[in-house]
Amino acid sequence: MSHSIPKTQTAAVVASSGAAIEIKHDQPVKSAEELAPGECLIKLACTGVCHTDLHAALGDWPLAAKTPLVGGHEGVGEIVAIGNNTSHSPVKVGDRVGIKWLADSCLNCEQCRKGREQNCLEAKLSGFTVDGTFQQYAVSYVNHVTPIPEGFDSNAAASILCAGVTVYRAIKYSQTSPGDWIVLPGAGGGLGHLAIQYAKVAGLQVIAVDTGADKKKLCLELGADKWIDFQESKDIVADIKAITGGLGAHSALVTAASSSGYKQAIEYLRGGGTLMAVGLPGKASLEASIFFTVFKSISILGSYVGNRQDAAEAIAIAARGEVKCNFALKQLSDLSSVYEGMTEGKVAGRIVLEMPK
């Protein structure tokens, strides 16, 4: 299967941290001959947009992204070329695959061998340390792209590659068993609405915490067992304990950018409960009572995206129709307005951008 690869393409470029997005139509495309062993070139059909992309563009994290930068890390497309002398490639030209936040890792260090590829010191990060998916053609790596099952819509798959994988892994390692209670603050949001569904697949009972009639309707339709509106509740901790027979929840998955959600979780988790820290705020600190963390034998675990196996499992579940992403479809040229909506907190669910034809 051959594909005519153009010399230039359309891409959304941030020239420097905090600079405005520029839609450039003369961005170079790496030719097949220029690809290094292990690299592949993907013609993208679409890409999701994540809050991480906004942080990368603004440069407001403790870690700085490369500049100039093509952001994005939730892309789905077709492999059109693979670097010469690539050995034992698990994918081939013509395969439809996904590009994730973790673009590549060494696969040989202790972290990689233990399944923590995302913590590899040589990890490459899509749309952060290497150019990502806000472009028509992206270079990625054969060992880390995720095959997309036949029949699974590319637009529906895009956000599973980050938001889905992230909450799936956090639930997988939340030290819960079927029938246990898990609390999901921000349950009606981009990550939260997927977390509800993955939690139900895992057999958990879900307490959805968010605000507003629309989010309540969404959360309950997706399978949440109980709903708490944080603006209407006079005591969230007491409400959660009442729902769970006075004992508290077994786990909490916190994606919030503030420290209050973590502090509160220590109070409503039962003895032996697990707090999964998932959100990546730039400056907030994790605040919790040391006394009650110890006294209640609480586990606090950081969960950072996922490895290749987590991605394969999360995609497979969604491809079977057990998890569906709520998304709005826009164009690559709309990226600036999408970032504005994210900054103002006006984006519900996820945004997926179609690539120019």
Side-chain angles (χ1 to χ4, degrees):
M1 185 183 295
S2 62
H3 182 94
S4 177
I5 299 170
K7 294 188 184 310
T8 60
Q9 62 171 325
T10 300
V13 182
V14 176
S16 59
S17 292
I21 293 166
E22 297 177 67
I23 302 297
K24 294 191 171 184
H25 302 286
D26 58 354
Q27 194 75 359
V29 179
K30 211 170 189 181
S31 70
E33 294 72 29
E34 292 173 317
L35 293 172
E39 290 184 343
C40 58
L41 184 68
I42 297 169
K43 185 181 190 297
L44 289 163
C46 62
T47 178
V49 185
C50 178
H51 266 90
T52 297
D53 300 317
L54 179 57
H55 287 297
L58 293 174
D60 63 356
W61 268 359
L63 300 175
K66 81 173 205 63
T67 55
L69 175 71
V70 176
H73 59 276
E74 298 180 348
V76 178
E78 178 188 340
I79 296 177
V80 295
I82 291 176
N84 290 328
N85 302 314
T86 296
S87 60
H88 302 98
S89 175
V91 291
K92 64 185 184 302
V93 171
D95 284 356
R96 189 168 58 120
V97 298
I99 296 174
K100 309 179 296 299
W101 173 247
L102 180 60
D104 196 24
S105 70
C106 79
L107 298 181
N108 290 313
C109 68
E110 178 188 353
Q111 297 291 346
C112 287
R113 291 195 305 268
K114 288 186 174 181
R116 290 195 296 267
E117 298 143 13
Q118 62 272 40
N119 297 121
C120 173
L121 294 178
E122 296 181 25
K124 296 182 177 74
L125 308 176
S126 300
F128 198 79
T129 63
V130 297
D131 283 338
T133 57
F134 294 155
Q135 55 185 338
Q136 290 173 291
Y137 289 83
V139 174
S140 198
Y141 302 85
V142 297
N143 284 320
H144 275 278
V145 292
T146 300
I148 306 298
E150 189 175 345
F152 189 19
D153 178 65
S154 294
N155 294 330
S159 296
I160 301 298
L161 292 162
C162 181
V165 172
T166 297
V167 297
Y168 171 74
R169 180 183 174 90
I171 291 165
K172 180 177 173 180
Y173 288 91
S174 64
Q175 302 183 150
T176 50
S177 302
D180 286 355
W181 285 101
I182 189 167
V183 179
L184 303 176
L191 273 73
H193 87 285
L194 293 171
I196 292 172
Q197 298 172 76
Y198 280 114
K200 295 310 296 181
V201 170
L204 302 178
Q205 298 186 83
V206 174
I207 300 173
V209 181
D210 215 316
T211 189
D214 290 344
K215 288 187 175 180
K216 177 180 181 180
K217 182 174 182 290
L218 174 66
C219 291
L220 294 176
E221 285 177 349
L222 292 177
D225 298 275
K226 298 293 181 180
W227 163 264
I228 295 175
D229 190 312
F230 66 76
Q231 289 192 336
E232 295 179 1
S233 173
K234 294 178 180 176
D235 189 335
I236 290 175
V237 172
D239 289 345
I240 291 172
K241 287 188 173 181
I243 290 169
T244 56
L247 297 175
H250 297 84
S251 185
L253 194 164
V254 181
T255 58
S258 66
S259 58
S260 59
Y262 296 92
K263 182 177 180 181
Q264 204 169 52
I266 299 301
E267 298 176 33
Y268 63 65
L269 285 171
R270 69 177 61 195
T274 304
L275 167 57
M276 300 303 297
V278 173
L280 283 172
K283 296 178 181 176
S285 298
L286 195 156
E287 296 181 12
S289 163
I290 295 174
F291 179 87
F292 283 107
T293 299
V294 175
F295 186 72
K296 294 169 68 177
S297 302
I298 299 295
S299 297
I300 300 176
L301 302 178
S303 186
Y304 173 50
V305 291
N307 61 23
R308 293 175 299 166
Q309 183 63 25
D310 297 326
E313 291 169 2
I315 284 286
I317 291 167
R320 292 197 299 267
E322 296 180 71
V323 169
K324 294 181 180 179
C325 181
N326 229 17
F327 66 90
L329 199 58
K330 294 183 180 292
Q331 302 302 311
L332 180 63
S333 56
D334 295 324
L335 183 57
S336 289
S337 62
V338 171
Y339 278 173
E340 288 173 12
M342 285 181 163
T343 302
E344 296 167 5
K346 294 180 179 178
V347 173
R350 303 292 285 188
I351 300 291
V352 175
L353 307 177
E354 285 187 309
M355 287 298 143
K357 302 300 183 191

